[in-house]
């Protein structure tokens, strides 16, 4: 390792360790490398601008963020919850099941775990803890765990970012996330049933079946969003970025005109908040673009690839090792940083070993989402704590069971790649 790279990494970890936002930490550390290497500091700005302007796909990120914020602001969340209560609320642990199913459905609109947890999650936690029906720590834990499904089922902001660094088809990634997302939902509901039965949680009063069609009709327009997205991409009607624009426009029409739940003032606040969130992601992307240039300049990916291939490591062992690393990094880093900064190091090795990049990408996104609820620094745990006031200790005590079954689901996806690749191949993906 060169002195310049060592200085860059030391600066990065030092700044991140004292609480500097990760995007700024990466940019400043990269600037240190450029200065010590005798390169023009203006190269940092050049790499950021080149990366942003050449990546049309990045426009999908602010558009999906806007769509998620519009969905949260209207009455769409409440309509979806009413539909979920009518569909699965009658079973043991009913509101826990409602929590998971609501996340499965809402994930088809937001593409963001934080949006899921902070929006629909807050509402359902209040439903679960009303009259002491569920312990508040349990309600918060299953909400955080189910929110991890958000970026797995399309649309998915992390998958857009992974497509950026791996040059992989966004359409194939979106399709590949559907079955894994459903598997995650199934294992969470199974654990919820087991815990609810063991602890004797009260049964909810079942919604009469004759009311189910009415609740379905109220939620149906919102349920169409993922269908519209995938048809647009795979039907050849839109590019993935154009599909994101359609999603944002559809959310706007749905909340503003169809449900009439959006004022001009609320829309202004949505656009401001979406701009702030997009800028935060953009800073990390900008830093990652410079850092990736440095990594390539140091020839690190090629050296790693040659070393691993030379050691004759089995692809399955490689996948397990990388996923273990990402799981550990997920305890301290957010998914955006992992995907943009860490994962590009392993992509050349994946190509050398014949590992499908769509399969690898979905595994990394799932793993990064599990990291969001991994104590002690899981971001979703802090989000739930911030929006509900439930003590962090209570949430952590209850989240371990759900963390366990999600890791089992991840292992299943590693050992059975068809769970990830079956649907994309059905629609013509040849990877």
């Amino acid at each position: 390792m060169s002195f310049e790279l060592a200085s860059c990494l030391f600066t990065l970890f030092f700044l991140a360790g004292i609480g500097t936002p990760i995007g700024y930490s990466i940019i400043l550390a990269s600037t240190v490398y450029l200065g010590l290497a005798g390169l023009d500091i203006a190269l940092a700005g050049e790499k950021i601008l080149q990366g942003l302007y050449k990546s049309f796909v990045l426009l999908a990120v602010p558009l999906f963020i806007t769509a998620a914020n519009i969905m949260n602001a209207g009455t769409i969340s409440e309509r979806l919850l009413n539909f979920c209560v009518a569909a699965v609320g009658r079973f043991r642990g009913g509101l826990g099941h409602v929590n998971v199913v609501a996340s499965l459905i809402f994930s088809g609109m937001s593409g963001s775990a934080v949006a899921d947890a902070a929006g629909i999650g807050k509402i359902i936690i209040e439903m679960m803890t009303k009259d002491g029906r569920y312990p508040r720590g349990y309600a918060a834990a299953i909400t955080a765990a189910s929110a991890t499904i958000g970026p797995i089922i399309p649309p998915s902001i992390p998958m857009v970012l992974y497509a950026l660094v791996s040059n992989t088809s966004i359409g194939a990634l979106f399709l590949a996330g559907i079955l894994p997302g459903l598997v995650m939902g199934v294992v969470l509901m199974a654990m919820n049933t087991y815990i609810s039965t063991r602890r004797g949680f009260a049964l909810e009063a079942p919604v009469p079946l004759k009311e189910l069609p009415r609740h379905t009709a109220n939620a149906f327009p919102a349920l169409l969003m993922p269908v519209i997205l995938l048809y647009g991409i795979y039907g050849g009607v839109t590019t993935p970025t154009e599909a994101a624009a359609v999603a944002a426009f559809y959310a706007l029409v749905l909340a503003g005109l169809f449900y009439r739940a959006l004022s001009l003032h609320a829309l202004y606040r949505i656009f401001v908040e979406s701009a702030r969130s997009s800028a935060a992601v953009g800073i990390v992307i900008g830093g990652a673009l410079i850092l990736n240039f440095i990594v390539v300049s140091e020839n690190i990916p090629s050296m790693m690839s040659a070393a691993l291939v030379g050691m004759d490591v089995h692809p399955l062992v490689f996948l397990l090792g990388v996923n273990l690393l990402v799981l550990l990094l997920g305890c301290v880093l957010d998914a955006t940083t992992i995907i943009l900064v860490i994962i590009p190091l392993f992509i050349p090795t994946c190509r050398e070993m014949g590992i499908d990049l769509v399969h690898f990408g979905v595994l990394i996104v799932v793993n990064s989402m599990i990291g969001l609820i991994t104590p002690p620094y899981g971001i979703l745990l802090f989000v739930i704590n911030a929006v509900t006031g439930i003590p962090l200790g209570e949430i952590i005590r209850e989240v371990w069971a759900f963390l366990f079954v999600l890791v089992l689901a991840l292992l299943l996806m590693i050992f059975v790649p068809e769970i990830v690749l079956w649907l994309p191949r059905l629609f013509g993906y040849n990877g």
Side-chain angles (χ1 to χ4, degrees):
M1 182 186 296
S2 67
F3 172 74
E4 293 85 357
L5 182 60
S7 301
C8 173
L9 294 177
F10 173 80
T11 305
L12 172 59
F13 291 126
F14 174 75
L15 291 174
I18 63 174
T20 307
I22 191 66
Y24 296 124
S25 300
I26 297 172
I27 291 173
L28 289 171
S30 301
T31 305
V32 168
Y33 175 90
L34 295 176
L36 292 176
L39 299 172
D40 190 346
I41 301 298
L43 191 62
E46 179 186 340
K47 290 300 173 183
I48 292 175
L49 291 176
Q50 283 182 352
L52 293 178
Y53 283 125
K54 288 182 179 179
S55 300
F56 182 63
V57 70
L58 281 180
L59 281 176
V61 175
L63 291 169
F64 281 137
I65 290 174
T66 303
N69 288 338
I70 292 172
M71 287 289 186
N72 266 330
T75 60
I76 298 171
S77 299
E78 295 175 15
R79 293 172 188 270
L80 289 174
L81 276 178
N82 290 334
F83 165 73
C84 295
V85 169
V88 298
R90 66 189 70 246
F91 305 112
R92 175 69 68 180
L95 287 181
H97 294 321
V98 168
N99 202 323
V100 176
V101 173
S103 290
L104 282 168
I105 295 172
F106 198 73
S107 65
M109 285 162 274
S110 70
S112 166
V114 173
D116 194 346
I120 203 168
K122 182 181 179 181
I123 300 170
I124 199 165
I125 287 174
E126 292 173 356
M127 292 171 59
M128 292 181 72
T129 55
K130 185 179 180 182
D131 302 324
R133 286 180 287 186
Y134 292 81
R136 56 183 185 175
Y138 182 83
I142 193 171
T143 299
S146 65
T148 60
I149 302 172
I152 310 303
I153 294 178
S156 168
I157 294 170
M159 286 187 184
V160 172
L161 298 178
Y162 175 80
L164 169 69
V165 300
S166 66
N167 198 28
T168 310
S169 164
I170 294 180
L173 286 167
F174 279 5
L175 282 172
I178 295 175
L179 281 182
L182 294 175
V183 168
M184 293 168 71
V186 168
V187 298
L188 289 175
M189 292 175 75
M191 179 55 72
N192 176 61
T193 299
Y194 170 75
I195 294 175
S196 298
T197 303
R198 185 178 177 184
R199 297 192 190 178
F201 291 153
L203 286 167
E204 305 298 319
V207 176
L209 288 176
K210 64 181 180 180
E211 294 186 17
L212 185 57
R214 177 173 62 84
H215 289 299
T216 303
N218 281 336
F220 184 73
L223 298 174
L224 282 178
M225 182 179 283
V227 177
I228 293 172
L229 277 175
L230 291 175
Y231 174 77
I233 295 171
Y234 265 86
V237 180
T238 63
T239 66
T241 304
E242 290 165 349
V246 170
F249 179 73
Y250 181 74
L252 182 59
V253 171
L254 203 59
L257 300 180
F258 190 82
Y259 290 139
R260 297 186 181 279
L262 204 60
S263 65
L264 287 176
H265 179 65
L267 185 61
Y268 170 76
R269 284 189 287 107
I270 286 169
F271 285 154
V272 170
E273 182 58 35
S274 299
R276 286 174 177 163
S277 300
S278 301
V281 175
I283 289 171
V284 178
I285 292 172
L289 289 169
I290 311 171
L291 192 58
N292 288 342
F293 164 75
I294 292 171
V295 167
V296 172
S297 299
E298 292 281 335
N299 204 30
I300 294 174
S302 298
M303 289 190 295
M304 287 181 60
S305 177
L308 288 169
V309 172
M311 291 169 60
D312 197 25
V313 175
H314 192 278
L316 190 58
V317 175
F318 172 77
L319 278 179
L320 289 170
V322 172
N323 276 276
L324 178 60
L325 174 64
V326 172
L327 197 61
L328 294 173
L329 289 174
C331 300
V332 293
L333 295 176
D334 62 280
T336 301
T337 305
I338 291 171
I339 291 169
L340 292 175
V341 177
I342 307 299
I343 298 308
L345 298 175
F346 299 108
I347 289 175
T349 307
C350 288
R351 291 194 177 102
E352 289 287 339
M353 291 186 169
I355 296 171
D356 187 272
L357 289 183
V358 169
H359 181 219
F360 183 70
V362 171
L363 293 178
I364 293 304
V365 174
V366 170
N367 203 331
S368 300
M369 293 307 104
I370 294 174
L372 295 180
I373 62 167
T374 304
Y377 299 113
I379 293 172
L380 284 181
L381 305 180
F382 289 100
V383 170
I384 297 291
N385 166 258
V387 299
T388 64
I390 298 173
L392 199 59
E394 293 183 24
I395 304 174
I396 291 175
R397 279 195 298 272
E398 298 281 6
V399 83
W400 291 108
F402 300 112
L403 188 60
F404 172 73
V405 294
L406 287 175
V407 171
L408 287 183
L410 175 64
L411 288 172
L412 185 64
M413 295 172 210
I414 292 174
F415 286 105
V416 188
E418 283 304 307
I419 294 175
V420 177
L421 296 174
W422 176 75
L423 203 52
R425 285 173 177 166
L426 188 65
F427 282 81
Y429 173 69
N430 296 318

